[in-house]
Amino acid sequence: MNEQEKVLTDKDLSYKPKMNYSYFIASSIMEALCYKNEINKFYSAGKYKEDDFFLGIENESEVNDILKKKDNILKEATRIFRVLDILEYEKKKYNLSTEKWFLESRFYIYDIKVLKELCPILLYYVGNDSESSYITFFDRLDILVEFVLKPSLNHNNISDIESFILDKIDNLDEVEIIDENGNKIFVIAKQIKFNRKSKNEIEKILVYEDNNTSEHNEITIDRVVYQKQVSFQPITKIDSKNFSMFNIDNKKENEIEVILECDSIVYEYYKLKPLMNMNIFETEDRLKELSSSIEFIKLKPNKFYITAIDTEEMIISTLLHTLPYTKVIEPFELNEKVIKKFKKFSNDLDIDLCKEDTPPKKPIESLNNSTSIKEETNEVKENNKDIGINKTDKMKDIKDNDSEIKFNF
């Protein structure tokens, strides 16, 4: 019989790797530091023997049993920290230093509960690979975090093609496809549907109508002829001389500079640093630094400010993730692009964003000629004698229901 037909024995299934108690205690110490919220504070190794130090850990009793039964187990556990260099230590004092861990990382994980879950993984990763370190560990985590945070459309490798097809469907336009014979023909796109390709894979299918036979057929989306339009026009209007906090040399062709104004309520989210080349200005000193570098910014209370260089798609994605607590100061046109997304959203749901009681208002034009105001007021009185207007020129009462007045906002 071949190797694939072998089965596991009961002994195989009951096998468990031997417990390395030194690593178990070391892992528990790291978790305890997180539980006690004592990150970046030095602790004496002797304190780890105290019962209350492990308070809150699920396996607290098991930890205490190991500490009592095993000689020098605490000494061996703290030796692991020194050898693997995952904690800062000063003689017999140790520090769970997240500042050291994330100094070279793309993202900064500050949440204590998350760090508590990562500590055992970090410990075993570093301990089982001689080439690894806490730096490489968090470098790999950066890949995962970046994958999750990137704009939703960037998860789809053919999002441009699908958007092109959906636009054609909405506008009842034809699309060009490559048929089974390799010929290019124009058809009417009707629908994008999901089809199960295998047990674990779903593919997207274009349903189209043949212009000659009016029959409905199906093809895979990748057979739609689509020429991607490549045109990059930077929308930022800021003079780079005022941007002392930006390293312009690091800006790529598809990246833009942005300044954000944020409510204090989303500060913890931005500590993760979701944008590239990101700087946070929140303390009094940092705000003074910002205002001296960019003079046109008017700082507001209860706000903090962000400068960053990233792609337009990523910036908009971050804005949508933190609405309504973040707005763009520069480039202001980015706000308009966000609004367009909401307009499309409201149109699809048949929702009127502009309610009747709050119509959009045009900018008020300055009227320097007081005579023209009096003339307009008199004209209103003549045409609508039953309408009373008080000293503030506001409508007071409409007695004549037949009178119709149109206000242009």
Side-chain angles (χ1 to χ4, degrees):
M1 305 298 288
N2 58 39
E3 291 292 325
Q4 294 180 346
E5 295 180 359
K6 289 184 177 180
V7 295
L8 294 173
T9 64
D10 292 339
K11 186 176 181 180
D12 294 327
L13 295 172
S14 62
Y15 170 77
K16 292 182 180 180
K18 294 181 179 180
M19 172 65 72
N20 187 323
Y21 291 107
S22 299
Y23 270 82
F24 185 84
I25 294 298
S27 175
S28 297
I29 289 173
M30 295 176 70
E31 291 183 48
L33 287 168
C34 291
Y35 272 120
K36 293 178 71 67
N37 195 11
E38 299 292 354
I39 294 175
N40 302 323
K41 179 178 179 180
F42 279 97
Y43 265 101
S44 171
K47 185 173 178 60
Y48 299 146
K49 292 183 179 180
E50 299 178 8
D51 293 338
D52 66 337
F53 187 79
F54 297 99
L55 185 65
I57 296 182
E58 295 177 1
N59 51 16
E60 178 186 349
S61 60
E62 189 174 356
V63 171
N64 291 329
D65 289 341
I66 296 173
L67 286 172
K68 293 175 182 177
K69 294 178 182 178
K70 302 293 181 180
D71 295 333
N72 298 322
I73 190 70
L74 186 63
K75 182 178 180 181
E76 180 63 23
T78 53
R79 179 177 174 272
I80 291 174
F81 296 146
R82 295 195 301 274
V83 173
L84 300 181
D85 192 33
I86 54 176
L87 295 188
E88 288 186 350
Y89 62 94
E90 192 176 88
K91 292 184 179 179
K92 292 185 178 181
K93 291 183 178 180
Y94 294 84
N95 174 17
L96 184 66
S97 178
T98 58
E99 295 176 357
K100 174 184 174 183
W101 289 359
F102 299 105
L103 189 62
E104 301 180 29
S105 295
R106 163 73 173 85
F107 301 100
Y108 177 33
I109 302 173
Y110 64 91
D111 189 277
I112 294 170
K113 292 182 180 179
V114 176
L115 288 175
K116 174 257 175 184
E117 299 295 336
L118 294 177
C119 280
I121 306 173
L122 168 61
L123 180 65
Y124 286 101
Y125 171 79
V126 176
N128 287 281
D129 185 352
S130 59
E131 301 296 326
S132 65
S133 66
Y134 62 84
I135 295 176
T136 56
F137 177 78
F138 288 108
D139 279 346
R140 281 157 176 73
L141 278 185
D142 281 350
I143 297 173
L144 175 61
V145 176
E146 186 174 11
F147 174 78
V148 174
L149 284 181
K150 68 181 181 179
S152 57
L153 289 183
N154 289 3
H155 288 264
N156 182 357
N157 294 328
I158 58 171
S159 60
D160 289 341
I161 301 177
E162 285 193 53
S163 298
F164 169 76
I165 295 173
L166 291 172
D167 183 65
K168 294 295 184 181
I169 293 175
D170 291 339
N171 293 286
L172 303 176
D173 291 337
E174 293 182 327
V175 295
E176 191 177 14
I177 67 169
I178 300 176
D179 64 14
E180 296 179 352
N181 300 319
N183 300 319
K184 291 184 178 180
I185 60 172
F186 282 94
V187 297
I188 302 174
K190 305 295 290 186
Q191 177 190 355
I192 293 178
K193 75 174 188 179
F194 296 93
N195 182 53
R196 182 168 295 281
K197 186 176 181 180
S198 64
K199 183 178 180 181
N200 299 316
E201 187 177 359
I202 299 292
E203 65 178 350
K204 296 175 183 176
I205 300 295
L206 170 65
V207 180
Y208 68 90
E209 180 180 325
D210 191 299
N211 282 325
N212 297 324
T213 63
S214 296
E215 293 180 354
H216 283 194
N217 299 314
E218 299 178 359
I219 61 167
T220 56
I221 289 180
D222 57 5
R223 285 167 58 186
V224 174
V225 178
Y226 171 72
Q227 186 66 34
K228 185 176 181 180
Q229 301 295 325
V230 180
S231 61
F232 174 73
Q233 296 179 347
I235 62 176
T236 180
K237 300 184 297 182
I238 304 171
D239 186 356
S240 61
K241 294 180 181 178
N242 294 328
F243 263 128
S244 62
M245 71 289 298
F246 282 145
N247 185 352
I248 302 299
D249 294 336
N250 290 336
K251 187 170 67 172
K252 298 178 181 178
E253 185 182 6
N254 65 333
E255 293 178 340
I256 62 173
E257 305 162 13
V258 68
I259 305 176
L260 305 178
E261 182 181 84
C262 314
D263 292 349
S264 61
I265 197 170
V266 289
Y267 176 71
E268 283 70 21
Y269 173 78
Y270 279 107
K271 283 173 64 178
L272 180 64
K273 293 189 175 181
L275 299 174
M276 296 289 290
N277 300 296
M278 180 177 148
N279 290 284
I280 302 178
F281 299 86
E282 73 283 69
T283 62
E284 186 176 345
D285 292 341
R286 290 286 284 164
L287 290 172
K288 286 182 179 179
E289 179 185 343
L290 177 65
S291 59
S292 62
S293 300
I294 308 176
E295 297 179 354
F296 65 83
I297 289 186
K298 295 181 180 179
L299 303 180
K300 298 179 182 179
N302 309 317
K303 308 284 186 182
F304 67 95
Y305 296 83
I306 287 171
T307 63
I309 299 177
D310 211 324
T311 62
E312 183 178 304
E313 292 79 9
M314 188 62 200
I315 295 171
I316 291 178
S317 178
T318 303
L319 284 172
L320 294 174
H321 197 72
T322 55
L323 283 179
Y325 311 108
T326 303
K327 73 175 183 179
V328 180
I329 296 180
E330 285 289 345
F332 189 79
E333 291 83 353
L334 212 55
N335 291 304
E336 298 174 1
K337 294 193 175 185
V338 175
I339 292 173
K340 285 182 180 179
K341 291 181 180 292
F342 278 102
K343 285 182 177 179
K344 183 182 184 307
F345 173 76
S346 65
N347 289 336
D348 291 343
L349 293 178
D350 195 21
I351 296 176
D352 187 4
L353 287 179
C354 180
K355 295 182 180 180
E356 294 181 359
D357 56 342
T358 56
K361 296 182 179 180
K362 293 182 179 179
I364 299 175
E365 298 179 359
S366 59
L367 296 174
N368 297 325
N369 191 344
S370 58
T371 305
S372 62
I373 298 177
K374 292 180 180 179
E375 290 176 354
E376 289 181 5
T377 305
N378 292 331
E379 184 179 350
V380 173
K381 288 182 178 180
E382 288 295 326
N383 294 335
N384 305 280
K385 294 181 179 180
D386 293 331
I387 298 177
I389 302 178
N390 61 17
K391 293 181 180 180
T392 58
D393 293 339
K394 291 183 179 178
M395 301 296 293
K396 184 177 181 182
D397 184 32
I398 299 179
K399 297 180 180 179
D400 188 356
N401 294 329
D402 295 332
S403 299
E404 181 179 355
I405 303 176
K406 295 182 179 179
F407 291 89
N408 294 322
F409 293 90

